[in-house]
């Protein structure tokens, strides 16, 4: 297992809250609730989902660090239904930043051995702390991409 990317992953994870806030702040308010099609997520829903997912992810980090080879239970939102947010977009952005800072504080001092700790995930042949944390970054960027894609979609396409 090559752990050489950990500093870059942690730096990137630390930067995501500022990127998210800048992206959301640059979108006209009227566009925050646009849907590309029925059941698709809005920009606001993507951003809120990122915030709401962080406690679950922190729990997974702690589980892997404290239990031997724990089983990770997948979270699979209904792809055909918009999420039912428990916070507002205004609340979500600082909540995301605060939880991400806690995650970085937890992860940064870990020794190499901790990054190698395995876990079982029913969808993957290999899983563990290193993969989980890399997936967190990829998950963030996937949602950021979807948000920007939606924002840049021509309004006549949204209304079609």
């Amino acid at each position: 297992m090559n752990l050489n990317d950990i500093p870059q992953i942690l730096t990137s994870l630390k930067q995501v809250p500022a990127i998210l806030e800048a992206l959301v702040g640059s979108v006209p308010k009227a566009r925050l609730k646009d849907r590309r099609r029925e059941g698709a997520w809005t920009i606001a829903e993507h951003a809120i989902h990122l915030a709401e997912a962080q406690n679950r992810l922190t729990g997974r980090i702690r589980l892997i660090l404290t239990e031997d080879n724990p089983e990770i239970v997948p979270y699979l939102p209904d792809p055909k239904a918009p999420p039912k947010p428990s916070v507002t977009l205004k609340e979500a952005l600082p909540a995301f930043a605060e939880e991400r800072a806690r995650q970085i504080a937890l992860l940064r001092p870990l020794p190499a051995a901790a990054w190698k700790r395995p876990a079982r995930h029913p969808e993957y042949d290999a899983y563990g702390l290193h993969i989980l944390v890399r997936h967190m970054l990829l998950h963030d960027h996937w949602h950021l991409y979807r948000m920007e894609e939606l924002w840049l979609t021509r309004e006549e396409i949204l209304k079609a």
Side-chain angles (χ1 to χ4, degrees), residues 12-67:
S12 296
L13 283 169
K14 185 177 179 181
Q15 294 169 344
V16 170
I19 295 168
L20 175 63
E21 189 170 340
L23 175 59
V24 169
S26 65
V27 175
K29 285 191 183 250
R31 299 290 313 266
L32 291 171
K33 295 190 178 182
D34 284 350
R35 290 190 196 283
R36 190 165 182 124
R37 66 186 172 286
E38 184 67 31
W41 290 17
T42 67
I43 292 169
E45 289 166 343
H46 279 285
I48 292 168
H49 165 76
L50 284 173
E52 291 179 332
Q54 296 316 298
N55 285 335
R56 182 179 307 104
L57 293 168
T58 301
R60 288 179 178 188
I61 293 167
R62 292 185 190 285
L63 184 67
I64 292 171
L65 290 173
T66 59
E67 292 188 18

Side-chain angles (χ1 to χ4, degrees), residues 49-93:
H49 165 76
L50 284 173
E52 291 179 332
Q54 296 316 298
N55 285 335
R56 182 179 307 104
L57 293 168
T58 301
R60 288 179 178 188
I61 293 167
R62 292 185 190 285
L63 184 67
I64 292 171
L65 290 173
T66 59
E67 292 188 18
D68 290 331
N69 201 26
E71 181 159 359
I72 303 299
V73 177
Y75 170 71
L76 302 169
D78 184 348
K80 295 179 183 175
K84 293 178 174 62
S86 63
V87 296
T88 66
L89 180 59
K90 186 176 180 179
E91 296 165 326
L93 297 176

Side-chain angles (χ1 to χ4, degrees), residues 3-18:
L3 302 177
N4 292 335
D5 61 350
I6 292 169
Q8 291 83 10
I9 291 171
L10 292 175
T11 297
S12 296
L13 283 169
K14 185 177 179 181
Q15 294 169 344
V16 170

